[in-house]
Amino acid sequence: MDAIHVRNLRLWAHVGVLPNERRDGQWFRLDLSLWLDLGQSAAADDLASSADYSLAIRDLQQLSRSIRCLTIEHFSEQVLNRLEALYGPVPMRVELSKCAAPVPGFSGVVSVERFRHHSSAGADP
């Protein structure tokens, strides 16, 4: 299977367990992959037979502006729902990262990785 990858999409969202995270918002980074057959689009140079990733970027930017929730797990579920609404039940993967988790003494990145419609015979993440 072929794949389209969007990496390092930066999103400002109001997500977090702490009240100030939901009130003030913070940066998240999203990587997403869609596995599908790109042969027809590649041969015909036809966007209509592919997955227009600009639609996902715009839709996910809108989602991030409107969402208010506690967990990045829930945020990632909403991302998967939006991608499925746009592209149908194709194998997909998202990795959603909180760029600056408010944990004293911690300067790393926290992320969740989620899959949908993934099977060993289908996508190869």
Side-chain angles (χ1 to χ4, degrees):
M1 274 253 148
D2 304 317
I4 292 177
H5 305 285
V6 175
R7 295 194 174 99
N8 295 318
L9 176 59
R10 288 179 50 87
L11 301 168
W12 185 265
H14 297 265
V15 175
V17 173
L18 300 177
N20 63 303
E21 292 180 288
R22 292 187 310 281
R23 182 190 65 233
D24 301 336
Q26 61 191 300
W27 285 110
F28 290 82
R29 190 189 79 233
L30 178 66
D31 296 335
L32 66 93
S33 298
L34 304 169
W35 282 270
L36 39 111
D37 184 355
L38 299 174
Q40 182 180 352
S41 177
D45 194 22
D46 178 25
L47 180 59
S49 59
S50 185
D52 182 348
Y53 56 82
S54 71
L55 299 175
I57 292 168
R58 283 194 301 268
D59 199 53
L60 296 172
Q61 288 170 327
Q62 189 280 328
L63 170 66
S64 72
R65 286 189 297 271
S66 64
I67 195 164
R68 296 274 193 288
C69 63
L70 297 173
T71 66
I72 58 176
E73 292 86 347
H74 181 76
F75 188 10
S76 70
E77 182 72 9
Q78 300 313 304
V79 168
L80 287 167
N81 289 344
R82 294 284 181 109
L83 292 173
E84 188 169 4
L86 286 168
Y87 305 113
V90 301
M92 58 184 71
R93 171 198 167 272
V94 299
E95 182 175 358
L96 182 63
S97 303
K98 183 182 279 195
C99 296
V103 178
F106 176 72
S107 63
V109 174
V110 175
S111 65
V112 296
E113 181 178 31
R114 306 276 315 283
F115 297 88
R116 192 171 283 177
H117 307 293
H118 171 64
S119 70
S120 58
D124 184 24

